[in-house]
Amino acid sequence: MKKRIIDYQKTDTMKCNNTQINALLTAYLDNALTPEESKMVEAHLNDCSDCLDELQEIRTLHLQIEHTPLIDPPTDAERRFRQMLEKQHKPQKQSITITVDFSWKKIAAAIIIFLAGAATVLLFQSKTDSDTSSIAHLENQVSQMRQVLMTALIKNDSPSDRLKAVQYAEQISGPSPEVTNILLETLNHDPSVNVRLAAANALHQFAVHQEVRTKLAQSLQQQSDPMLQIVLIKMLVQFHERSMVPTLQDFSHDEKTHEMVKKEAEEALTVLL
Amino acid sequence: MDWLSDEDIMLEVKQGNIDALSLLFKRHHKHLFNFFLQTGVEYHHSEDLTQQVFYRILKYKDSYREKAGFRKWMFTIARNIMRRHFETRKRHPEQELPAILLNISERQTIDSEEEERIKALYKALEKIPPQDRELISLSRFQGMKYEDIAEITGTTVGAIKVKMHRALKKLRDLYFEKADH
Ligand SMILES: [Zn+2]
């Protein structure tokens, strides 16, 4: 028989029938047991020579594994990685961009109307309220005005007006729960996909709040448009929102899911721990 | 930069300094590469999948949660990529391990008895079910803690203690049979 550095005599099949304790032996050697479990194992080892032998066998195997060197990756692995990294340095769009086919003229008009409105507020404020009119106060006024405009526009029949409303919502600083609710409502129920997309985009900035994310994850469940599904997944994965995991799993198993959505969902699943 | 933890570096990457990721690549790509080999991915694919893991880490850097264990996250991604790889290639992980694991003397000078033992170890690893290989690779070769393995594989620590013992028992029985003659 060959001489072995790690000396070991194999015992016959282990006879210990306390399978519960026996199953803990590996964890015992790894110091992974609770203090109570450790005590139980130690007490058992006092009377069970089978388990004591097995413990020795486990140690021997662990030692062998420790002495087994890892295989070196190909020598160009690091170079390949750096090449990949270089490519990422080329300017890329950071945020989620959504293409919505609305008329830029209409938006421009809305902005001009809006600016005129803001100027009126400013003038009005500085004349009557010169002592208290701090910038913050004015900003607040402007935000309120946007909110009023938005709440009025969102009820409009024309999709382009509702789009405008959503655009206003996006500019409201320190949004009120009403604004987020209107946006969520729009996201879930507006008949026009474009308006829904714009609402999703506007909600992006509020997604730092957990309540909003929970609602967005719920919304993802109901959306049937692939573009919207993708936008919502991208948004939520950024915030590591795990409540969408079941929905993603559904997407990935459902044959009717759009191929691109499926891919997006599967990738997102791999990074959500 | 050695004094920086993986998590510190990943946070730096998340904040936009993507070059810092090369530090994490240096630290971990060998372990990832061996994880793939040990779970039955061929040599060149193991290298590709290693690159893919880091590409995905970069792509999803925004979703990295502050203070979340980096290695845990990395192996979760690796495991998913590995499964997808076997699915799309219709190659089952039950098949043999890559030859490089057994050609020890080709890549290093080694005492022949030690070589026999390493071969016996990998041959034993080849014969156990893929899920057991995964557990053994993560725990014994890559040095992951039970808590982390439980999270990576989506189970409890209590279950891992027992599963690990059973997986290693299968490996032991096969290994000692081999090493005996
Ligand atoms: Zn016993």
Side-chain angles (χ1 to χ4, degrees), chain A residues 16-18 21-22 44 48 50-51:
Chain A
C16 176
N17 48 23
N18 193 336
I21 298 272
N22 180 275
H44 178 76
C48 183
D50 292 339
C51 281

Side-chain angles (χ1 to χ4, degrees), chain A residues 3-4 22-23 26 30 32 37 54 57 62 64 71-72 77 80 89 237-238 240 267 271 273, chain B residues 19 30 34 48 51 56 58-60 62-63 73 76 107 113 117 140 146 161 165 172 176 180:
Chain A
K3 183 179 128 285
R4 277 194 236 106
N22 180 275
T26 301
D30 285 334
E37 286 173 327
E54 194 172 343
E57 196 182 282
H62 287 187
Q64 179 58 61
I71 313 284
D72 283 322
R80 284 188 56 198
H89 273 301
V237 82
Q238 260 187 3
H240 212 102
E267 272 198 35
V271 293
L273 250 182
Chain B
D19 287 330
K30 190 169 173 177
N34 278 265
D48 276 346
Q51 301 278 349
R56 197 160 291 184
L58 192 63
K59 186 170 168 194
Y60 287 94
D62 293 339
S63 87
W73 191 48
T76 306
R107 48 173 209 271
E113 287 186 9
R117 276 193 297 271
R140 305 256 65 98
Y146 284 34
K161 288 175 191 172
H165 181 76
R172 256 188 289 140
F176 286 118
D180 263 351

